[in-house]
Coordinates of all heavy atoms in Angstrom, one line a residue:
G48 N 179.1 63.0 -20.5 CA 180.3 63.0 -19.7 C 180.0 62.9 -18.2 O 179.0 63.4 -17.7
S49 N 180.9 62.2 -17.5 CA 180.7 61.9 -16.1 C 181.4 63.0 -15.2 O 182.2 63.8 -15.7 CB 181.2 60.5 -15.7 OG 182.6 60.5 -15.8
D50 N 181.1 62.9 -13.9 CA 181.8 63.8 -12.9 C 183.1 63.1 -12.4 O 183.5 63.5 -11.3 CB 180.9 64.1 -11.8 CG 179.7 65.0 -12.1 OD1 180.0 65.9 -13.0 OD2 178.7 65.0 -11.5
S51 N 183.6 62.1 -13.1 CA 184.8 61.4 -12.5 C 186.0 62.2 -12.8 O 186.1 63.1 -13.6 CB 184.9 60.0 -13.3 OG 185.1 60.3 -14.7
W52 N 187.1 61.9 -12.0 CA 188.3 62.6 -12.2 C 188.9 62.5 -13.5 O 189.7 63.3 -14.0 CB 189.3 62.2 -11.1 CG 189.8 60.8 -11.1 CD1 189.3 59.8 -10.3 CD2 190.8 60.2 -11.9 NE1 189.9 58.6 -10.6 CE2 190.8 58.8 -11.6 CE3 191.6 60.6 -12.9 CZ2 191.7 57.9 -12.2 CZ3 192.5 59.7 -13.5 CH2 192.5 58.4 -13.2
E53 N 188.6 61.4 -14.2 CA 189.2 61.2 -15.6 C 188.6 62.2 -16.6 O 189.1 62.5 -17.6 CB 188.9 59.8 -16.2 CG 189.5 58.7 -15.4 CD 188.5 57.9 -14.6 OE1 187.6 58.5 -14.0 OE2 188.7 56.7 -14.5
N54 N 187.4 62.8 -16.2 CA 186.7 63.7 -17.1 C 186.7 65.1 -16.6 O 186.0 66.0 -17.2 CB 185.3 63.2 -17.3 CG 184.6 63.8 -18.5 OD1 185.2 64.0 -19.6 ND2 183.3 64.3 -18.3
L55 N 187.4 65.4 -15.6 CA 187.4 66.8 -15.1 C 188.8 67.4 -15.1 O 189.8 66.8 -14.7 CB 186.9 66.8 -13.6 CG 185.4 66.5 -13.5 CD1 185.0 66.3 -12.0 CD2 184.5 67.7 -14.0
V56 N 188.9 68.7 -15.5 CA 190.1 69.4 -15.5 C 189.9 70.8 -15.0 O 188.8 71.4 -15.1 CB 190.8 69.5 -16.9 CG1 191.3 68.2 -17.3 CG2 189.8 70.1 -17.9
A57 N 190.9 71.5 -14.4 CA 190.8 72.9 -14.0 C 190.9 73.7 -15.2 O 191.6 73.4 -16.2 CB 192.0 73.2 -13.0
C58 N 190.1 74.8 -15.2 CA 189.9 75.6 -16.4 C 189.6 77.0 -16.0 O 188.7 77.2 -15.1 CB 188.8 75.0 -17.3 SG 188.6 75.8 -18.8
C59 N 190.1 78.0 -16.6 CA 189.7 79.4 -16.3 C 188.3 79.6 -16.9 O 187.9 78.9 -17.8 CB 190.7 80.4 -16.8 SG 190.7 80.8 -18.5
Q60 N 187.6 80.6 -16.3 CA 186.3 80.9 -16.7 C 186.2 81.2 -18.2 O 185.3 80.7 -18.9 CB 185.7 82.0 -15.9 CG 185.3 81.6 -14.5 CD 184.6 82.7 -13.8 OE1 184.6 83.9 -14.2 NE2 184.0 82.4 -12.7
E61 N 187.1 82.0 -18.7 CA 187.1 82.4 -20.1 C 187.2 81.2 -21.1 O 186.4 81.1 -22.0 CB 188.2 83.4 -20.4 CG 188.1 84.1 -21.7 CD 189.3 85.0 -21.9 OE1 189.8 85.6 -20.9 OE2 189.7 85.2 -23.1
C62 N 188.2 80.3 -20.8 CA 188.3 79.1 -21.6 C 187.2 78.2 -21.5 O 186.8 77.5 -22.5 CB 189.6 78.4 -21.3 SG 191.1 79.3 -21.7
N63 N 186.6 78.1 -20.3 CA 185.5 77.2 -20.1 C 184.3 77.7 -20.9 O 183.6 76.9 -21.6 CB 185.1 77.2 -18.6 CG 184.2 76.0 -18.2 OD1 183.5 75.4 -19.0 ND2 184.3 75.6 -16.9
R64 N 184.1 79.0 -20.9 CA 183.0 79.5 -21.7 C 183.3 79.3 -23.2 O 182.4 79.0 -24.0 CB 182.9 81.0 -21.4 CG 181.5 81.6 -21.6 CD 181.4 83.1 -21.1 NE 182.6 83.8 -20.7 CZ 182.9 84.1 -19.5 NH1 182.2 83.7 -18.5 NH2 184.0 84.8 -19.3
K65 N 184.5 79.5 -23.6 CA 184.9 79.4 -25.0 C 184.7 78.0 -25.5 O 184.2 77.7 -26.6 CB 186.3 79.9 -25.2 CG 186.9 79.9 -26.6 CD 188.3 80.4 -26.6 CE 189.0 79.9 -27.9 NZ 190.5 80.1 -27.8
K66 N 185.1 77.0 -24.7 CA 185.0 75.6 -25.1 C 183.5 75.2 -25.2 O 183.1 74.4 -26.1 CB 185.7 74.7 -24.1 CG 185.6 73.2 -24.3 CD 186.4 72.4 -23.3 CE 186.1 70.9 -23.4 NZ 184.8 70.6 -22.8
G67 N 182.7 75.7 -24.2 CA 181.3 75.4 -24.3 C 180.9 74.0 -24.2 O 181.6 73.2 -23.5
N68 N 180.0 73.6 -25.0 CA 179.5 72.2 -25.0 C 180.2 71.3 -26.1 O 179.6 70.5 -26.7 CB 178.0 72.3 -25.3 CG 177.3 71.0 -24.9 OD1 177.8 70.2 -24.0 ND2 176.1 70.7 -25.5
R69 N 181.5 71.5 -26.2 CA 182.3 70.8 -27.2 C 183.4 70.0 -26.5 O 183.8 70.2 -25.4 CB 182.9 71.8 -28.2 CG 181.9 72.6 -29.0 CD 182.6 73.6 -29.9 NE 183.3 74.6 -29.1 CZ 184.0 75.6 -29.7 NH1 184.1 75.7 -31.0 NH2 184.6 76.5 -28.9
R70 N 183.9 69.0 -27.2 CA 185.0 68.2 -26.8 C 186.3 69.0 -27.1 O 186.2 69.9 -28.0 CB 185.1 66.8 -27.5 CG 183.9 65.9 -27.1 CD 183.7 64.7 -28.0 NE 185.0 64.0 -28.1 CZ 185.5 63.5 -29.3 NH1 184.7 63.6 -30.4 NH2 186.6 62.8 -29.3
P71 N 187.4 68.8 -26.4 CA 188.6 69.6 -26.7 C 189.0 69.7 -28.2 O 189.3 70.7 -28.7 CB 189.6 69.0 -25.8 CG 188.9 68.3 -24.7 CD 187.6 67.9 -25.3
V72 N 188.9 68.5 -28.8 CA 189.3 68.4 -30.2 C 188.4 69.3 -31.1 O 188.8 69.9 -32.1 CB 189.4 67.0 -30.7 CG1 188.1 66.3 -30.7 CG2 190.1 66.9 -32.1
E73 N 187.1 69.3 -30.8 CA 186.1 70.1 -31.6 C 186.4 71.6 -31.4 O 186.2 72.4 -32.3 CB 184.7 69.7 -31.1 CG 184.3 68.3 -31.4 CD 183.1 67.9 -30.7 OE1 182.6 68.5 -29.8 OE2 182.5 66.8 -31.1
A74 N 186.7 71.9 -30.1 CA 187.0 73.3 -29.8 C 188.4 73.8 -30.2 O 188.7 74.9 -30.0 CB 186.7 73.6 -28.3
K75 N 189.2 72.8 -30.7 CA 190.6 73.1 -31.0 C 191.3 73.7 -29.8 O 192.1 74.6 -29.9 CB 190.8 74.0 -32.2 CG 190.3 73.4 -33.5 CD 190.5 74.3 -34.7 CE 190.2 73.6 -36.0 NZ 188.8 73.2 -36.1
M76 N 191.0 73.1 -28.6 CA 191.6 73.5 -27.4 C 192.2 72.2 -26.7 O 191.6 71.7 -25.8 CB 190.6 74.1 -26.4 CG 190.0 75.4 -27.0 SD 188.6 76.1 -26.0 CE 189.5 76.7 -24.6
P77 N 193.3 71.7 -27.1 CA 193.9 70.5 -26.6 C 194.2 70.7 -25.1 O 194.5 71.8 -24.6 CB 195.2 70.2 -27.4 CG 195.5 71.5 -28.0 CD 194.2 72.3 -28.2
L78 N 194.1 69.6 -24.3 CA 194.4 69.7 -22.9 C 195.9 70.0 -22.7 O 196.7 69.5 -23.4 CB 194.1 68.3 -22.2 CG 192.7 67.8 -22.3 CD1 192.6 66.4 -21.6 CD2 191.8 68.8 -21.5
I79 N 196.2 70.8 -21.7 CA 197.5 71.2 -21.4 C 198.2 70.0 -20.6 O 199.3 69.6 -20.8 CB 197.6 72.4 -20.5 CG1 197.1 73.6 -21.3 CG2 199.0 72.7 -20.0 CD1 196.9 74.9 -20.5
R80 N 197.4 69.3 -19.8 CA 197.8 68.1 -19.0 C 196.6 67.2 -19.0 O 195.4 67.6 -18.9 CB 198.1 68.5 -17.6 CG 199.5 68.9 -17.5 CD 199.9 69.2 -16.0 NE 200.5 70.5 -15.9 CZ 200.0 71.4 -15.1 NH1 199.1 71.2 -14.2 NH2 200.6 72.6 -15.1
R81 N 196.9 65.9 -19.0 CA 195.8 64.9 -18.9 C 195.4 64.8 -17.4 O 196.2 65.1 -16.5 CB 196.3 63.5 -19.3 CG 196.8 63.5 -20.8 CD 196.5 62.2 -21.5 NE 195.0 61.9 -21.5 CZ 194.2 62.4 -22.4 NH1 194.6 63.2 -23.4 NH2 192.9 62.1 -22.4
P82 N 194.2 64.5 -17.2 CA 193.7 64.4 -15.8 C 194.5 63.2 -15.1 O 194.9 62.3 -15.7 CB 192.3 64.0 -15.9 CG 191.8 64.4 -17.2 CD 193.1 64.3 -18.1
K83 N 194.8 63.4 -13.8 CA 195.6 62.5 -13.1 C 194.8 62.0 -11.9 O 194.2 62.9 -11.2 CB 196.9 63.2 -12.6 CG 198.0 62.3 -12.3 CD 199.3 63.1 -12.1 CE 199.9 62.8 -10.7 NZ 200.9 63.7 -10.3
K84 N 194.8 60.8 -11.5 CA 194.1 60.3 -10.4 C 194.6 61.0 -9.1 O 195.8 61.0 -8.9 CB 194.4 58.8 -10.2 CG 193.6 58.1 -9.1 CD 193.8 56.6 -9.1 CE 193.0 56.0 -7.9 NZ 193.1 54.6 -7.9
P85 N 193.7 61.5 -8.3 CA 194.1 62.2 -7.1 C 194.8 61.3 -6.1 O 194.3 60.1 -6.0 CB 192.8 62.8 -6.5 CG 191.8 62.7 -7.6 CD 192.2 61.6 -8.5
N86 N 195.8 61.8 -5.5 CA 196.5 61.1 -4.5 C 195.8 61.2 -3.2 O 195.1 62.2 -2.9 CB 197.9 61.7 -4.4 CG 198.9 61.0 -3.5 OD1 198.6 60.7 -2.4 ND2 200.0 60.7 -4.1
R87 N 195.9 60.2 -2.3 CA 195.2 60.3 -1.0 C 195.7 61.5 -0.2 O 195.0 62.0 0.7 CB 195.5 59.0 -0.2 CG 194.7 57.8 -0.6 CD 194.8 56.7 0.3 NE 194.2 55.5 -0.3 CZ 194.8 54.4 -0.5 NH1 196.0 54.2 -0.1 NH2 194.1 53.4 -1.1
I88 N 197.0 61.8 -0.4 CA 197.5 63.0 0.4 C 196.7 64.2 0.1 O 196.5 65.0 1.1 CB 199.0 63.2 0.0 CG1 199.9 62.0 0.6 CG2 199.5 64.5 0.4 CD1 201.3 62.0 0.2
Y89 N 196.2 64.5 -1.1 CA 195.4 65.6 -1.4 C 194.1 65.6 -0.5 O 193.6 66.6 -0.1 CB 195.0 65.7 -2.8 CG 196.2 66.1 -3.7 CD1 196.8 65.1 -4.5 CD2 196.8 67.4 -3.7 CE1 197.9 65.4 -5.3 CE2 197.8 67.7 -4.5 CZ 198.4 66.7 -5.3 OH 199.5 67.0 -6.0
Y90 N 193.6 64.4 -0.3 CA 192.4 64.3 0.5 C 192.7 64.6 2.0 O 192.0 65.3 2.6 CB 191.9 62.8 0.3 CG 190.7 62.6 1.2 CD1 189.4 63.1 0.9 CD2 190.8 61.8 2.3 CE1 188.3 62.9 1.6 CE2 189.7 61.5 3.1 CZ 188.4 62.1 2.8 OH 187.3 61.8 3.6
I91 N 193.8 64.0 2.5 CA 194.1 64.2 3.9 C 194.5 65.6 4.2 O 194.2 66.1 5.3 CB 195.3 63.2 4.3 CG1 194.9 61.8 4.1 CG2 195.8 63.5 5.7 CD1 196.0 60.8 4.2
R92 N 195.1 66.3 3.3 CA 195.5 67.7 3.5 C 194.4 68.6 4.0 O 194.6 69.5 4.8 CB 196.1 68.3 2.2 CG 197.5 68.0 1.9 CD 197.9 68.7 0.7 NE 199.2 68.3 0.3 CZ 199.7 68.6 -0.9 NH1 199.1 69.4 -1.7 NH2 201.0 68.3 -1.2
Q93 N 193.2 68.4 3.6 CA 192.1 69.3 4.0 C 191.8 69.2 5.4 O 191.1 70.1 6.0 CB 190.9 69.0 3.1 CG 190.3 67.7 3.3 CD 189.1 67.4 2.4 OE1 188.3 68.2 2.1 NE2 189.2 66.2 1.8
F94 N 192.2 68.1 6.1 CA 191.9 68.0 7.5 C 193.0 68.5 8.5 O 192.9 68.5 9.7 CB 191.7 66.5 7.9 CG 190.5 65.9 7.0 CD1 190.8 65.0 6.1 CD2 189.2 66.4 7.2 CE1 189.8 64.5 5.3 CE2 188.2 65.9 6.5 CZ 188.5 64.9 5.5
V95 N 194.1 69.0 7.9 CA 195.2 69.5 8.7 C 194.9 70.9 9.1 O 194.6 71.8 8.3 CB 196.5 69.5 7.9 CG1 197.7 70.1 8.7 CG2 196.9 68.1 7.5
K96 N 194.8 71.1 10.4 CA 194.5 72.4 11.0 C 195.8 73.3 10.9 O 196.9 72.8 10.9 CB 194.0 72.3 12.4 CG 192.7 71.5 12.4 CD 192.1 71.5 13.8 CE 190.7 70.8 13.9 NZ 190.9 69.3 13.8
R97 N 195.5 74.6 10.9 CA 196.6 75.6 10.8 C 197.7 75.4 11.9 O 198.9 75.5 11.6 CB 196.0 77.0 11.0 CG 197.0 78.1 10.7 CD 196.3 79.5 10.9 NE 195.2 79.7 10.1 CZ 195.2 80.2 8.9 NH1 196.3 80.6 8.4 NH2 194.1 80.3 8.2
E98 N 197.3 75.0 13.1 CA 198.3 74.9 14.2 C 199.0 73.5 14.2 O 199.9 73.3 14.9 CB 197.6 75.1 15.6 CG 196.6 74.1 16.0 CD 195.2 74.4 15.4 OE1 195.0 75.3 14.6 OE2 194.2 73.8 15.9
Q99 N 198.6 72.6 13.3 CA 199.2 71.3 13.2 C 200.4 71.3 12.3 O 200.4 70.6 11.3 CB 198.2 70.2 12.8 CG 197.1 70.0 13.9 CD 196.1 69.0 13.4 OE1 195.5 69.2 12.4 NE2 195.8 68.0 14.2
T100 N 201.3 72.1 12.6 CA 202.5 72.4 11.7 C 203.4 71.2 11.5 O 204.0 71.0 10.5 CB 203.3 73.6 12.2 OG1 203.7 73.3 13.5 CG2 202.5 74.9 12.1
A101 N 203.4 70.3 12.5 CA 204.3 69.1 12.4 C 203.9 68.2 11.3 O 204.8 67.5 10.7 CB 204.3 68.4 13.8
W102 N 202.6 68.2 10.9 CA 202.2 67.3 9.9 C 202.5 67.8 8.5 O 202.6 67.0 7.5 CB 200.7 67.2 9.9 CG 200.2 66.3 11.0 CD1 199.9 66.6 12.3 CD2 200.1 64.8 10.9 NE1 199.5 65.5 13.0 CE2 199.6 64.4 12.2 CE3 200.3 63.9 9.9 CZ2 199.4 63.1 12.5 CZ3 200.0 62.6 10.2 CH2 199.6 62.2 11.5
R103 N 202.7 69.1 8.4 CA 202.8 69.7 7.1 C 203.9 69.2 6.2 O 203.6 68.9 5.0 CB 202.8 71.3 7.2 CG 201.5 71.8 7.9 CD 201.6 73.3 8.1 NE 201.4 74.0 6.9 CZ 200.3 74.3 6.3 NH1 199.2 73.9 6.9 NH2 200.2 74.9 5.2
P104 N 205.1 69.0 6.7 CA 206.2 68.5 5.8 C 205.9 67.1 5.3 O 206.2 66.8 4.1 CB 207.4 68.5 6.7 CG 207.1 69.4 7.8 CD 205.6 69.4 8.0
Y105 N 205.2 66.3 6.1 CA 204.9 64.9 5.7 C 203.8 64.8 4.7 O 203.6 63.7 4.1 CB 204.7 64.1 7.0 CG 205.9 64.1 7.9 CD1 205.9 64.9 9.0 CD2 207.0 63.3 7.6 CE1 207.1 64.9 9.8 CE2 208.1 63.4 8.4 CZ 208.2 64.2 9.5 OH 209.3 64.2 10.3

Side-chain angles (χ1 to χ4, degrees):
S49 69
D50 287 330
S51 64
W52 61 262
E53 296 106 322
N54 194 45
L55 289 168
V56 289
C58 183
C59 80
Q60 287 188 342
E61 191 183 328
C62 290
N63 200 333
R64 206 169 16 250
K65 184 178 159 193
K66 178 177 167 283
N68 197 22
R69 298 177 292 178
R70 293 166 54 220
V72 67
E73 295 165 347
K75 294 184 173 59
M76 297 172 75
L78 298 176
I79 295 170
R80 277 184 232 126
R81 298 215 63 82
K83 200 170 129 195
K84 184 177 180 178
N86 187 308
R87 284 191 189 123
I88 286 173
Y89 290 106
Y90 177 74
I91 296 168
R92 277 181 186 176
Q93 67 187 313
F94 302 111
V95 177
K96 296 185 178 74
R97 189 182 301 270
E98 66 273 14
Q99 291 175 308
T100 54
W102 283 93
R103 300 177 70 83
Y105 299 101

